[in-house]
Amino acid sequence: MAGLERLRCAAETRWKARVQGGRPVIYVGTASCGRAAGALETLQAVRDFLEAHSISAEVVEVGCIGPCYLEPLLDVQLSEGPRVSYANVTSDKVERILSANLLANDLLPRLAKGHFGGDDFTGKTGIPRFFDQPMLKPQVRIILKNCGLIDPQDFDGALANGAYQGFERALALGTTGVIDELKEAGLRGRGGAGFPAWKKWQLTQAAAGNEKYVVCNADEGDPGAFMNRSLLESDPHGVLEGILIGGWAVGAQEGIIYTRAEYPLAVERLNTAVGQMRSTGLLGKDILGSGFDFDIHIREGAGAFVCGEETALIASLEGRRGTPRPRPPFPADHGYHNRPTLINNTETFGTVPAILREGGAWFHQYGTPTNPGTKTFSLVGKVRHTGLIEVPLGITLRQVVEEIGGGTRQRLKAVQTGGPLGGCLPADRIDTPITYETMRELGSIMGSGGLIVMDEDTCMVDMARYFIHFARSESCGNCTPCRNGTRILSDTLEKITRGEGEESDLEILERAAHTMTKTSLCGLGQAAANPVVTGLEYFREEYEAHIREKTCPPAVCTDLFEYVILADRCNGCDLCRDACKTHAITGGPREPHTLDTSLCVKCKACVRVCARRAIVGVPIKIQVADLEEAAV
Amino acid sequence: MSVNLHIDGKSIDAAEGQTVLQAARAGGIYIPTLCDFPGLPSHGSCRMCIVEVQGRPNTPTACTTPVEDGMVVTTDSENLRALRGDVLRMLLADHPAACLFCPENSNCEECMVTIHKAGVTTGCRSCPADGQCTLQEIVRKSGLDKTAYPVRYRALQIEKEDPFFDRDYNLCVLCGRCVRACETRHFSPVPTQVRRGSETRIGTNFGLSHLEAGCSFCGACVDVCPTGALWEKTNKYDGVPDGEAASACPFCSLACDIHLAHKDGMVIGALPATDSGGLCVKGRFGVPETVNHPDRLKQAFQLEDGRATRIGMEEAVQLAAQKLAGCQPDEFALAVSADCGSEELYAAALFATRAMADAPAWLVSSLPTGEQGEAAARLVKTSRPAAEIDSADLVFCLGLDLKYRQSVLETQLMRARERGAKLITLNAGEHIPGRFADLWLCPPAGEEAPWLDALAEEKPENDKIVRAQAMLKEARRPVLLVGSDFLRLFPEEVERLQAATGAAVIALPADGNLTGVTRVDPSGKAAGPQPRVLLLAGAAIPDELKPETYIIYLNTHTPRTPIQNGLILPAAAFSEMAGSLTSQDGRVKLREAAVSPPGAALPGWEILARIAREMGRSGFDFTGAEEIRAAMSADPPVLDGLTATPAWLPRPAEDDFMGAPLADWVEGLRDLTLEQVREAQYVPGA
């Protein structure tokens, strides 16, 4: 173990030299979320600026720190003073920020989003602390501790920030000690079902056989969810350490990370990190002199949602079609190649190092007694602040949506939890604390942590149609209720959103959903109907409006409404006319516009540009007289 | 270990490792199933067999839930009935259900629509599975009368391009039986699930045709399909068979048990016997086309200078008797095919010895002539039953491709590998056992004999041969599995190898009933001049014949070469008469008559007996197969009268039957022959 101690000391020195070496340090968040917002261009602009001005500065690429809506994030740390963060720094803004900071010693306090220093700095400059922002203040960062702060490709950064301390303690505790620690922590599986992690570990440890495996489920497939991707891209060692501890505790020889080919950056960073582990003796034979042999491999899936189900994942790993099989037997007894296999979600493994490092009791203090600890969520949808968050369990949906998410612009309508298989909870249930049990009681699931916030502009029938369509295409197609049930639900919802719904369709939806939930083989089929079930429970009047009045109140289902321009609101600003690609809008300037519905394709471009909300969707009225006239 | 559980209040003892479904069935409790099939691993996909287990959430499937001690299971409740009914409704929403729910259903049944009016695709009564469909049966039992769910017709194109069976996946319920049947039988299974979600269906990898995908066409998938999705081409619209007759396959020495399905006096299918290892393509799909072929002989003909005259059977027998009565014993010879039933062989031997005063009676088989023939005959004579593969700890396949012949052995070899037996193969080309063999000895084409000899040498040079020798030496119960190809080509080399290794030999001759006459002395009256009158019973006409030779052609099908002078006598096929044959393992397999012979055709033995009686010979007054079998067991030396054939008589090729290639009659086999030619161009390692 001395080997790691020495390694860490050296790493700390090198990391310190890098980020506190007297030179200015510029941090750019280049995880996928940053890159999508243009972080690579920002990074290039930074390099170009430094070269143009012959400034010697350290450029550090960091991962995602959480508030994705602020990306690209660029932080500057001058030789004295803390790191100061600037938000939405597209490449064109780099010049201004860097020249002010590096050439004029001006921190641009009005532009700065926050700093990572002490309170005195706030007093001096008026810049708030970064973590005091409304989105970050209620959060507790355990899993994401290092995300956005360290360079995920620099092993020194991870080692200097506590990586593998948990593993060292695990070695000291012994295999049973590790499981006791997990038991004390009360960690529950973060894949969504909430099965106590220690039980899974204990079952695998106790399973007969010497050949065992650890599998990390990083096949994150929920639309709108990116917790695992962000974690793997920003702090790969945080997860790898968890897998290593798992391997040690259950007596496995090989760890496999099953991730998706759609996560190239995560795969790249994982590969780099595994290489670093191998070269420092954290993988291989006789790790740190403990007699424990272990290696980790990364396998890329082809992107099937159902492969997130553990038995389907194992089938896929074995080279077979990703189809779930009935349990029991559980993977703890018969997993990969029929050998005992510990399979956990990425986030579960990401939580383990902290528990081992700080102790189970420490972890247990967060959250509620039955739902201890923190959980990451990807907060997306119609909230002001979108991004990756980590909160103690038991926090209410209201806190998440209003405090962390900054609320919605229109009135909040529903929150969808648990990804495509979760349910839509209505605004009046927003004071529900988030726990595995409460989510289930309300007809939703915790899932792996997707949180989609919807406002008044969202049609719940359309939303259900979207999610069911997803389940329909992503079902493995093996068992009847899931394969045919999702098809039936999807076709019926499609029909309703087209305005062809019949009264009997509600019964069809209810019955098919019930049968799917009760008889499907795996979790996908059992949960796939949740969006419909909760929709019918909480938003039944919206379904009825679609079916009986053939209207879509939020004006989403394009077959059921047409746009009109309200003359009393329109000021003839021409914005909508210019935005309209089909020339359906005429009139103006300074005169109210008119919209020709026969040309309108309902692309919504005009609605988006209208500041006065003068363009509204109204139900299409088919007059009986019109029909008769047409018939004549 | 035995466990006790309660199913529907009934206390049932079950063995550990059994499923709830197995335990319930053993206890006489009915649980509806669709994807379950005897002999296939459980799948749990149709969800029909859902049950309630006390203390468990939801409703697990009985077929996948292992029994546990003290388990309390309910198989029938209001809740379960409702859920099962609804799963069935969901299934039927994706399956054409006109045969189940259409208001015109009964009218349709009476009037029987034409297939043109509404094809199978719309699912009316012209579905091939109508009346024999598991889904229909389950729906009937459940009392369901409508789906109530929005229906979808998948509009998939019916796949007809492959030989032997069509695939209409519009009728498929995705039970996965075909996939599992193929996985159980073959090392490289062909059907698999493709696409996903609601678009999931059964197909092949990369959308290849079954022929391209390497299908053996053993028909196991067709046998297990619960609906009309997979159906044999030849009996697609024949409907429910009138009955089945037990028989044995005549196309190779394994003589697998088959059931001949018949309808309206026609054989419409040959199905593997239950609990058997299945069939190969020839047995599964070859029978109906062979026995119903337009070339079947239905009456007798007299041939004078190449001109054929249709004559009555009585007249033909008289003509034959007249001709033979004037024959000296050395002017007559008889050749009988080893494909014939034991009764024909006996009658032929008896005819030559008793009616024709010990005239030569040649047994026509695929075995070679001369010393090679003697070696081959010895191998056949001393062969162990094929079932001994199951107790061997090393199987050495010599030749034996197993793709389109004897493919049932593939399953047996896979099983042997699974239980730890070693497998070596020797074959110059791509062959099925080579795919999962521990060692494939792949000599260059034409070098097989030297390799076989090298195996028997003390110190061979080739590393692979050294390895094979070491494995053979280590094995305690090794067997040499000699394919019909090596038996024909290298019998002496195989004998030497047997002597060197002491391994048991399992020989697999191509001829159906060769084992029945293994007492044939190949060195007997093989030579001899061409006779003036030649009686060919199931044998082909030799190419080099003196033009004046009078041929009495007794066969099921018209001759492939024209006859100048002689008689053609129509014989009944194996499916049209009671009879027997002796399979490779020495068992006498009885055959029932499935249908009556066409036209004037009669069993071969009866025609011979009539001629003999007409000639005034005694001892030919038997009237049925049973009488002949009784006579055979009482008088065994009669068969000794059969001897090996002279060189000028053509030997049947591997896939010949009754004097002609099987592919002449079975269209699909021609496609397979082409496929083999195509494959032969690929030689691994070359």
Side-chain angles (χ1 to χ4, degrees), chain A residues 321 472 475 487 515 518-519, chain B residues 47 59 86 94 195 197-198:
Chain A
R321 182 180 164 93
R472 172 191 180 161
S475 156
R487 201 276 296 166
T515 304
K518 292 291 173 202
T519 61
Chain B
R47 315 307 283 175
T59 46
D86 215 44
D94 263 24
R195 308 202 188 170
S198 57

Side-chain angles (χ1 to χ4, degrees), chain B residues 394-397 422-426 437-439 441 468 471-472:
Chain B
L394 181 141
V395 183
F396 192 170
C397 294
K422 296 271 181 273
L423 181 64
I424 313 176
T425 65
L426 195 153
D438 296 280
L439 180 62
L441 304 176
M471 285 165 77
L472 278 162

